[in-house]
């Protein structure tokens, strides 16, 4: 961008440019974050809403209750803005949420079989909140917690830091876990979610964001005609309660083969036992490449709007969930019902039930170690 165009753009945003002779201007580069009140919890704690804006990136609103992504506004190919994540218009929606509409899931995202695991010879009992299993950290998991928020300013503008200290024994998990999640925007359209955690005793940890996307816009029908490409050669088949059997099954010649772009709905109702168990896709895919490296995991294109979502992660797996349990009863922020398969989730993660599956990548965190996870959801337009 030329100097004068940048000044014009800053003027349009109501900012006063600082003119430095012969030097690049440094008024407010990068991301800006505005914070405002978002109501109070039942116990009277103040909740805030943070709006992240950056040229070239979606406008993203996040609350420190559960770290929910409340909205993500992005243009279609004609420039028309749409909100591509499901959610609620106010705090009451989020305090009553049972679908995890965009929150930070922990201490252990996804399922733990029979709500129990052993670590270093000791058995830990969790709450069973999904049939016999524990789901998403239990009934009072990280999604329901108030995170401490701080807006940090750096060379690239503002970032939102959310922190939550989970006490030893909370929801049955051992060790005091200090979790930090930093949300930021990139000028290439990426929402970056950077996770870290430490513990004062051995524990298990698996953090994710549970955003539900509909690239046509939240509440705009189903996602069955969205095209998905998954960078996965294998997935982890499940039993009838959605716990992995332990097998890594090649996707080749199954309805789980998304190595080339395919409409999500093309095979979703195929006569396949795995699809029956999930009521559609609700499975962990093994992301190609080395865990720890940020690499492309998935790409979704909605052809009518052109909106395109790419997901990158350092995690070994991604849960592809097609909103099979939505049933039209939840009404979203614009007043439209969220239909069955009205959204998809791409949840970066360690494989479900890893604490009970010695052959899966370990989810154990020990004192002195640092848990790290980074995920990027990048929005763009395919012409
Ligand atoms: C799970 C689904 C579950 C959903 C809850 C997903 O991560 O895999 O089975 O229904 O979260 O909203």
């Amino acid at each position: 961008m030329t100097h004068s165009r940048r000044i014009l753009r800053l003027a349009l945003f109501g900012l006063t440019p600082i003119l430095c002779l012969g030097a690049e201007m440094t008024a407010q580069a990068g991301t800006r974050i505005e914070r405002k009140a978002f109501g109070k919890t039942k116990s009277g704690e103040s909740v805030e809403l943070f709006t992240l804006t950056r040229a070239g990136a979606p406008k993203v609103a996040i609350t420190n209750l559960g770290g929910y992504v409340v909205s993500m506004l992005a243009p279609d190919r004609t420039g028309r803005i749409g909100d591509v994540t499901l959610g609620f218009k106010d705090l009451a929606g989020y305090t009553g949420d049972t679908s995890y509409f965009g929150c930070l899931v922990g201490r252990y995202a996804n399922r733990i079989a029979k709500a129990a695991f052993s670590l270093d010879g000791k058995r830990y009992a969790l709450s069973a909140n999904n049939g016999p299993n524990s789901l998403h950290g239990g009934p009072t998991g990280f999604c329901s917690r108030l995170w401490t928020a701080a807006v940090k300013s750096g060379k690239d503008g503002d970032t939102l830091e959310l922190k939550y200290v989970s006490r030893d024994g909370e929801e049955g998990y051992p060790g005091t876990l200090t979790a930090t999640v930093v949300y930021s925007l990139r000028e290439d359209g990426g929402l970056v979610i950077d996770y870290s955690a430490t513990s004062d005793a051995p524990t298990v940890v698996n953090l994710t964001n549970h955003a539900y996307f509909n690239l046509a816009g939240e509440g705009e029908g189903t996602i069955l005609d969205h095209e998905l490409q998954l960078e996965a050669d294998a997935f982890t088949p499940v039993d009838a309660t959605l716990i992995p059997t332990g097998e890594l099954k090649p996707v080749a010649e199954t309805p789980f083969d998304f190595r080339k772009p395919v409409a999500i709905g093309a095979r979703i109702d195929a006569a396949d036992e795995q699809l029956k168990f999930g009521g559609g896709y609700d499975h962990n895919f093994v992301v190609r490449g080395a865990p720890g490296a940020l690499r492309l995991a998935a790409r979704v294109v909605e052809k009518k709007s052109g909106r395109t979502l790419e997901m990158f992660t350092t995690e070994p797996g991604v849960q592809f969930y097609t909103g099979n349990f939505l049933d039209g009863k939840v009404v979203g922020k614009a007043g439209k019902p969220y239909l069955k398969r009205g959204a998809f989730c791409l949840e970066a993660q360690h494989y479900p039930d890893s604490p009970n599956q010695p052959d899966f990548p370990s989810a154990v965190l020990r004192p002195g170690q640092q848990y790290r996870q980074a995920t990027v959801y990048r929005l763009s337009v395919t012409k």
Side-chain angles (χ1 to χ4, degrees):
M1 194 186 319
T2 64
H3 196 64
S4 55
R5 272 180 60 201
R6 192 183 297 198
I7 290 174
L8 175 66
R9 176 121 112 211
L10 287 169
L12 287 173
F13 282 96
L15 301 171
T16 314
I18 299 168
L19 291 167
C20 312
L21 274 183
E24 267 293 280
M25 191 197 45
T26 53
Q28 174 69 59
T31 304
R32 281 171 60 89
I33 300 183
E34 277 173 28
R35 58 198 294 175
K36 64 176 188 194
F38 195 48
K40 285 196 187 327
T41 61
K42 284 185 193 104
S43 50
E45 294 156 308
S46 298
V47 181
E48 288 181 282
L49 188 69
F50 299 83
T51 305
L52 287 65
T53 49
R54 180 174 190 147
K59 180 173 178 176
V60 181
I62 293 161
T63 175
N64 59 327
L65 180 83
Y68 280 88
V69 171
V70 168
S71 60
M72 200 160 173
L73 305 179
D76 68 6
R77 68 162 71 80
T78 69
R80 207 171 58 102
I81 301 295
D83 187 349
V84 297
T85 56
L86 275 56
F88 301 102
K89 65 175 187 313
D90 57 18
L91 186 62
Y94 289 99
T95 52
D97 172 39
T98 54
S99 305
Y100 308 86
F101 281 128
C103 56
L104 295 175
V105 186
R107 183 178 302 200
Y108 198 92
N110 215 308
R111 290 174 177 80
I112 296 183
K114 304 208 165 59
F117 66 96
S118 295
L119 180 57
D120 299 338
K122 211 173 152 204
R123 192 94 180 136
Y124 294 95
L126 311 168
S127 312
N129 61 338
N130 187 250
N133 305 319
S134 168
L135 177 66
H136 294 330
T140 60
F142 289 12
C143 285
S144 66
R145 303 284 174 169
L146 189 65
W147 296 58
T148 304
V151 174
K152 305 263 163 116
S153 296
K155 274 204 308 284
D156 206 27
D158 301 336
T159 58
L160 174 62
E161 184 189 275
L162 299 179
K163 197 174 234 181
Y164 178 64
V165 180
S166 168
R167 64 173 172 77
D168 179 29
E170 189 177 290
E171 281 291 353
Y173 292 95
T176 307
L177 185 91
T178 303
T180 306
V181 177
V182 178
Y183 280 108
S184 61
L185 292 177
R186 289 194 324 210
E187 63 186 353
D188 70 351
L191 170 67
V192 182
I193 316 176
D194 221 309
Y195 305 74
S196 56
T198 53
S199 179
D200 64 1
T203 193
V204 294
V205 60
N206 189 28
L207 305 180
T208 197
N209 179 282
H210 206 300
Y212 284 67
F213 293 95
N214 183 327
L215 300 179
E218 57 89 26
E220 296 294 329
T222 75
I223 44 71
L224 297 174
D225 60 358
H226 287 43
E227 280 190 359
L228 168 71
Q229 179 164 6
L230 269 175
E231 302 297 315
D233 302 310
F235 73 108
T236 51
V238 289
D239 67 15
T241 72
L242 302 184
I243 295 293
T245 59
E247 187 194 353
L248 302 190
K249 188 177 161 78
V251 295
E253 288 161 42
T254 76
F256 293 79
D257 189 352
F258 286 97
R259 290 173 298 174
K260 297 211 169 71
V262 187
I264 291 172
R267 302 159 299 180
I268 199 167
D269 289 319
D272 176 281
E273 185 181 53
Q274 285 299 312
L275 289 171
K276 293 260 169 336
F277 286 158
Y281 297 100
D282 193 354
H283 295 78
N284 172 66
F285 287 75
V286 177
V287 179
R288 195 179 297 137
L294 191 67
R295 63 221 190 279
L296 183 68
R299 188 164 193 273
V300 185
V301 181
E302 199 278 310
K303 283 194 168 153
K304 281 189 217 110
S305 65
R307 290 198 193 92
T308 300
L309 176 76
E310 286 166 312
M311 185 230 190
F312 302 80
T313 187
T314 56
E315 284 299 278
V318 60
Q319 183 84 4
F320 173 52
Y321 170 56
T322 43
N324 312 308
F325 296 112
L326 301 177
D327 57 7
K329 287 196 187 119
V330 174
V331 173
K333 43 200 154 178
K336 293 177 192 148
Y338 290 152
L339 307 178
K340 178 174 177 179
R341 300 178 181 161
F344 64 90
C345 302
L346 291 164
E347 304 151 52
Q349 62 182 5
H350 272 56
Y351 307 165
D353 198 33
S354 295
N356 292 311
Q357 305 257 4
D359 294 338
F360 285 178
S362 172
V364 174
L365 178 69
R366 296 185 180 281
Q369 296 178 332
Q370 195 182 37
Y371 165 89
R372 294 303 306 262
Q373 206 266 82
T375 294
V376 179
Y377 291 115
R378 177 172 179 258
L379 280 161
S380 60
V381 164
T382 301
K383 292 288 174 196

